[in-house]
Structures are given as C-alpha cells and as structure tokens.
Amino acid sequence: MKSGTMSFATIGRFWFPVLALVIPLAIIVVVTGQFGGLSIQRTVIEMLISIVIVVGLYVFVGNSGIISFGHATFMAIAAYASAWQTCCEMLKPITMSGLPPFLRDQSIPLLPSAVVSVLLAGGAAFLTGLVIIRLTGLAASISTLAVLFILNVVYSNWDSVTMGSASIVGLPTYVTAWLALGCAVFAIVVAYLYQVSAFGLAIRATREDEVAAAASGISLYWSRLIAFTLSGFMVGLGGVLQAHYLGTVSINSFFLSFTFLALAMLIVGGMGSLGGAVVGVVVITAMVDIFRRLEGGISIGGEQWSLPAGTQELIIAAFMLLILVFRKDGIMAGREMTLPGQEQREKGLING
C-alpha cells in the first residue's frame, strides 16, 4: 500500500505542471460556454489556438534559447495546404486554377487533410532546419526571418495557387472551444514530455552552455533540429486550427505582426518554461480583448467613451517593456507550476 501511495504521489508530482495548466483552461471553457457571450467565447477559442502556436514556438525557442522569427512560415504552409484540400470544389477551378487536378477537382475529408497539412508543415521545418540550424545565435534568428520573407513573397505572387495577397474563402469552419481545448492540451502534453525527455534535456544543456554540452557528447545540430522539426509540426497544427476557425486564409495573417505578437506572448510569460508560454498567452489575450473593447467604446453614465485606435498595441508594447526591465525572465521566471512546498523539498534533498 505504501509503495502504491508513493507511486501515485510520484506520478502526481510528475504531471502536476501539466494539470496546473490544463485544468484552469478547461474551467475557462466550461464557464464561458455556460455564462459567456458569443464574443467572449470567440476570444477563448482564439486564446486556445494561440496556446497551441506559442507552446509550439516554445518547444524550439524556449528550449534552445534561439529566437525564431520564422515559425509563422510553417503555420502558413499548413493553413494553405488545408485550404487547398478542403475549399469548395466549385471555387477552386476558378480562383486556384494552378492547383494539381487531384486537389483542384475534389475536396478531401477534414481529418486526413488536417493530418497531411501538419505533416507538410513539419516536413518543411525539417528541410529548413537542415540548413539554418547550422547557424547559431543572431545569425540563426535572422535566417528564420529570411525564410518568413521568402514564403511571404512567393505566396503573395503565386496567384494561380494561393490567390496572391487576396483571401481564400469557403473553408469549412469546424473548430469549437472543446476541439481547440483538446488541441491545446495535446500541445502542452507533447511539449512537456519533450522537455523532460533525453532530447529536451540535451537541447536545454546546449542553451545553458554550448561548449560544455558539446564536450559532454551532445550534438548541438541534431538536438536543435529535432526541436525545430517538432516545433514546426505543432505550429502547423495551430495554422490548421486558425484556418478552419476563421474560414479564410490570407498570407498577410502570417507575417510580421503575428510573429511579434506570438513572441511577445512567449517573452511576457517567460520563454524558459512551458508554464510561461501558456501564462503569457492568457495574459496578452486578456489585455488585447479588454483594450479592443475599450477602443470600440463603452457606455459610462449615459455617455460613450472610447480609447484612440492603436491603444492596445501601445499598451502591450509598454507592458512588454516593463516585463523586460523589471522581470527579464518573464512572469513565470523560467519556473514550472509546482506543488506547494515542492521546490523547498527538492532543494532540501539536493543540499542533504
């Protein structure tokens, strides 16, 4: 009985960082579904999709310490691939005449199309990583930005396949709060299992000290390539969810403004931990929604009050600056959610 109790306690401590993130998200979905208005429910779905994306970004950026400006590339690849497969059969011959006949003349079922799109995004991340992961530091970050610009230019001018800078419409919208929650939970679990695995520990070692990690026999190249590829799969999933939540796809949705917003979420929460990635999304989403409503105008004492357009961007920028100045490691400061007193017990065991 004691052994079973200890085993249960050990399992509980192992999964607590995940449960501490997942359970509040589930409560938010239940409460907003029962008592929230349509706009609040839409905000929650957008938040859950952002969690999938930012957690995917964390898998590489948080564990390697290398800032990536190019992960929106893999989102776009997955979103467009899903659009090509599921868009209305009557529209594709007119608006996307350059598609291969097997895509142009038929629609593929939703689940297979989503799986193929995510695999395509992960494959693109792997092929991209084969080249840019050989670089380190700022050079690697700039190279990811170059990849984003390349995709943006190609897709913006590939009129017969992507409709250029116009939006592809007519995608089936099947993303609900519960589906988005399930994908967010999946992303959190995958990211957590990765970071506690041998691969995750290896890449985190390279983040702390590249020379020492290499001297210990850790391959900087392969550990980072694995993380980059897994990250590509996960943000690709986010791209599919976003496409089938909005029902439209536009290349402008996957460029610099989105890239910087995703990085802001990760940095504000703390890019050194999975908990930081999730908390950052929740905090920034709440701020954006509040100030968006204030910009739209609210009634106080029979009078209409509103903030100037663009206020939310200024507030987020100021908040991010304050975080960087006074809490440079983010809200979570690189720590995961733990049971009360767990850190003190672990320190006591180490000191003992």
Side-chain angles (χ1 to χ4, degrees):
M1 177 66 72
K2 185 176 180 180
S3 175
T5 302
M6 290 297 292
S7 176
F8 182 80
T10 301
I11 294 172
R13 284 195 299 270
F14 178 81
W15 285 107
F16 184 81
V18 172
L19 296 175
L21 299 173
V22 168
I23 293 176
L25 293 178
I27 293 173
I28 290 173
V29 170
V30 171
V31 171
T32 56
Q34 293 293 323
F35 307 106
L38 183 59
S39 61
I40 293 293
Q41 293 175 19
R42 289 181 62 87
T43 299
V44 169
I45 295 174
E46 291 170 0
M47 178 190 74
L48 294 169
I49 295 173
S50 295
I51 286 174
V52 175
I53 297 164
V54 175
V55 167
L57 186 62
Y58 158 78
V59 168
F60 177 70
V61 174
N63 288 297
S64 70
I66 299 173
I67 298 294
S68 172
F69 298 105
H71 270 62
T73 301
F74 312 121
M75 278 187 65
I77 288 173
Y80 271 92
S82 186
W84 294 332
Q85 295 174 83
T86 61
C87 186
C88 178
E89 297 175 23
M90 298 179 65
L91 289 176
K92 286 191 285 188
I94 301 171
T95 59
M96 292 173 280
S97 58
L99 288 173
F102 74 93
L103 289 176
R104 185 186 61 217
D105 301 331
Q106 65 177 336
S107 292
I108 296 173
L110 298 178
L111 181 57
S113 67
V115 172
V116 169
S117 301
V118 172
L119 290 175
L120 187 61
F126 175 75
L127 294 176
T128 303
L130 288 174
V131 178
I132 67 174
I133 294 302
R134 296 183 183 278
L135 305 173
T136 59
L138 182 60
S141 298
I142 296 301
S143 67
T144 61
L145 183 62
V147 171
L148 178 62
F149 272 92
I150 290 170
L151 178 116
N152 184 268
V153 170
V154 171
Y155 274 37
S156 294
N157 293 279
W158 202 2
D159 295 338
S160 63
V161 173
T162 65
M163 294 183 62
S165 58
S167 298
I168 299 176
V169 299
L171 277 67
T173 53
Y174 59 79
V175 177
T176 63
W178 288 105
L179 177 60
L181 175 64
C183 291
V185 172
F186 173 76
I188 290 169
V189 170
V190 169
Y192 181 68
L193 291 177
Y194 170 76
Q195 78 175 21
V196 299
S197 69
F199 298 108
L201 295 174
I203 193 173
R204 291 169 83 87
T206 67
R207 181 190 67 185
E208 300 301 328
D209 192 326
E210 291 184 2
V211 176
S216 301
I218 295 173
S219 171
L220 272 67
Y221 179 76
W222 286 107
S223 61
R224 289 174 176 172
L225 180 60
I226 291 170
F228 194 78
T229 303
L230 179 59
S231 183
F233 280 116
M234 295 173 69
V235 297
L237 175 59
V240 172
L241 291 173
Q242 181 169 307
H244 289 283
Y245 171 65
L246 299 175
T248 65
V249 174
S250 172
I251 191 60
N252 294 325
S253 301
F254 306 101
F255 202 41
L256 294 179
S257 60
F258 175 82
T259 295
F260 292 133
L261 179 60
L263 285 173
M265 290 175 171
L266 185 59
I267 292 171
V268 165
M271 70 178 194
S273 69
L274 175 59
V278 176
V279 169
V281 172
V282 174
V283 170
I284 294 297
T285 300
M287 291 180 61
V288 168
D289 186 63
I290 290 170
F291 285 99
R292 182 168 53 196
R293 292 172 186 274
L294 292 176
E295 286 180 9
I298 57 173
S299 179
I300 301 177
E303 295 187 18
Q304 195 74 8
W305 297 84
S306 64
L307 294 176
T311 300
Q312 60 172 304
E313 287 84 358
L314 293 176
I315 295 296
I316 291 173
F319 183 66
M320 187 174 174
L321 182 61
L322 291 173
I323 289 290
L324 291 173
V325 171
F326 296 104
R327 198 174 178 86
K328 63 178 182 179
D329 293 326
I331 295 173
M332 295 297 294
R335 296 190 300 270
E336 299 294 355
M337 300 287 190
T338 57
L339 289 167
Q342 183 175 341
E343 290 187 5
Q344 287 77 5
R345 288 195 297 270
E346 290 176 352
K347 288 179 181 178
L349 290 174
I350 294 173
N351 294 332

